[in-house]
Amino acid sequence: MKLSDLITDAGTGMVSHTKLWANIAYAAATVAFCYMAYAGTASAEIWLIYLASIGASATLSKLLSLKYGVKNEP
């Protein structure tokens, strides 16, 4: 996997704004979460919210791509 795969559309090879901003949001949330964990201020609720938001986003994205994705047939 190339680093550019995180922000480019697999079909067109062009920058996908959806992927770009989603990965920026994930990175910002991860940095904030890691800072809170390091400072000792991350509660159980923060853990659950962080893990649920990251997990739910990935799961919903996969489900939507399976339901509405275009199948590439040879």
Side-chain angles (χ1 to χ4, degrees), residues 16-39:
S16 168
H17 294 286
T18 304
K19 280 187 170 184
L20 174 68
W21 289 110
N23 284 315
I24 288 173
Y26 289 153
T30 301
V31 168
F33 178 75
C34 288
Y35 176 77
M36 290 177 69
Y38 179 74

Side-chain angles (χ1 to χ4, degrees), residues 17-65:
H17 294 286
T18 304
K19 280 187 170 184
L20 174 68
W21 289 110
N23 284 315
I24 288 173
Y26 289 153
T30 301
V31 168
F33 178 75
C34 288
Y35 176 77
M36 290 177 69
Y38 179 74
T41 59
S43 64
E45 291 82 13
I46 297 295
W47 275 89
L48 289 173
I49 291 168
Y50 175 75
L51 294 174
S53 63
I54 299 298
S57 176
T59 303
L60 288 175
S61 174
K62 186 65 173 178
L63 286 173
L64 288 173
S65 70

Side-chain angles (χ1 to χ4, degrees), residues 2-18:
K2 297 181 289 187
L3 190 58
S4 64
D5 291 342
L6 292 173
I7 61 169
T8 56
D9 183 83
T12 64
M14 297 178 62
V15 173
S16 168
H17 294 286
T18 304

